[in-house]
Amino acid sequence: MAPNLSQALSLIDAAHAEDPNKITVQDTSIPYELHYAQKMTHFLTLHTPDPSPLLQTAARAQHFRRWEVPRDSYPRTRPGYFAWRTFLKKRQADQVKQICLECDYSAEEADKVASLIAKEDLKKGEGKGDPDAQVIEDVACLVFLDDQFDEFEKGHDEEKIIGILQKTWTKMGKRGQELALAMDLSPRAKEMVGKALAG
């Protein structure tokens, strides 16, 4: 049977809609993770025309129920951050895999979606690892630049921001970098990206 993509996306969005954290978009308050998921889908469509159902599912479910495990539940240290991220990726992958199996995805297809969410076969640069994993990484980086960077930048010094942008750039494939350069970023974001790439 073919994956029931519409049913899977509906179940994923229903979970996102439970996020108690809100964001105001065009005078409307919506759950943040639903907003984030919509951004992921938007940039996936820009990045990859006619993406597969598996890519669409993985993109929409990137932060599945992330709010249930807040960052502060782990130590505010670098090892604590990586432990938090590792736990989240496995938890999200396992939960979304179950949704896929309920929506007529084969076991192999459900495993692939889980792998994309967990970023299990992602290598730096293009042409290495799973190409679909690179697409998801590109899209996540584009959403960061578009939706999160301006607020994130306020809490860190310029040197750290430039370093983060340089690392973000190396994570992206050529297509992702092209889209990033074409984005309508804020003046401050453009300045920081310019400095990062010049460095």
Side-chain angles (χ1 to χ4, degrees):
M1 297 177 69
N4 189 335
L5 176 63
S6 61
Q7 183 185 12
L9 296 184
S10 292
L11 290 172
I12 290 165
D13 283 351
H16 290 323
E18 295 177 16
D19 183 3
N21 304 297
K22 307 295 183 184
I23 187 171
T24 300
V25 180
Q26 297 178 345
D27 298 324
T28 301
S29 176
I30 67 170
Y32 178 74
E33 291 302 352
L34 184 58
H35 165 77
Y36 181 88
Q38 291 168 351
K39 285 279 185 180
M40 287 291 295
T41 292
H42 169 71
F43 280 103
L44 173 63
T45 303
L46 286 179
H47 185 290
T48 303
D50 196 25
S52 72
L54 305 188
L55 264 177
Q56 292 184 61
T57 307
R60 193 70 148 257
Q62 271 300 286
H63 282 182
F64 193 78
R65 294 193 172 277
R66 177 170 286 203
W67 75 89
E68 294 179 341
V69 187
R71 172 66 185 91
D72 286 339
S73 61
Y74 281 75
R76 279 279 173 184
T77 60
R78 186 174 175 83
Y81 171 76
F82 286 114
W84 174 68
R85 286 286 303 273
T86 299
F87 176 78
L88 277 177
K89 286 190 291 186
K90 184 179 188 312
R91 181 181 191 263
Q92 291 163 179
D94 289 345
Q95 290 178 332
V96 177
K97 177 180 175 179
Q98 290 306 309
I99 288 178
C100 290
L101 292 172
E102 293 167 14
C103 296
D104 298 328
Y105 291 59
S106 68
E108 183 179 357
E109 290 166 336
D111 283 341
K112 175 64 182 289
V113 171
S115 176
L116 290 173
I117 291 171
K119 299 182 179 180
E120 289 177 350
D121 194 18
L122 178 66
K123 306 295 182 187
K124 287 186 178 180
E126 210 145 16
K128 301 173 184 176
D130 182 351
D132 285 345
Q134 185 62 58
V135 172
I136 295 295
E137 183 69 17
D138 282 5
V139 172
C141 289
L142 291 168
V143 174
F144 167 69
L145 290 171
D146 175 72
D147 191 60
Q148 300 169 324
F149 176 80
D150 288 331
E151 190 63 32
F152 179 81
E153 183 265 338
K154 294 175 186 175
H156 302 279
D157 62 57
E158 184 170 303
E159 183 179 353
K160 182 168 184 177
I161 290 298
I162 288 172
I164 288 170
L165 285 172
Q166 288 171 337
K167 289 175 183 175
T168 299
W169 198 256
T170 61
K171 289 179 183 178
M172 300 171 77
K174 183 178 179 182
R175 175 60 178 157
Q177 292 172 347
E178 289 172 350
L179 287 170
L181 291 173
M183 290 173 72
D184 184 21
L185 300 173
S186 68
R188 176 64 173 166
K190 286 181 181 177
E191 178 189 357
M192 291 295 96
V193 170
K195 288 183 177 181
L197 297 184

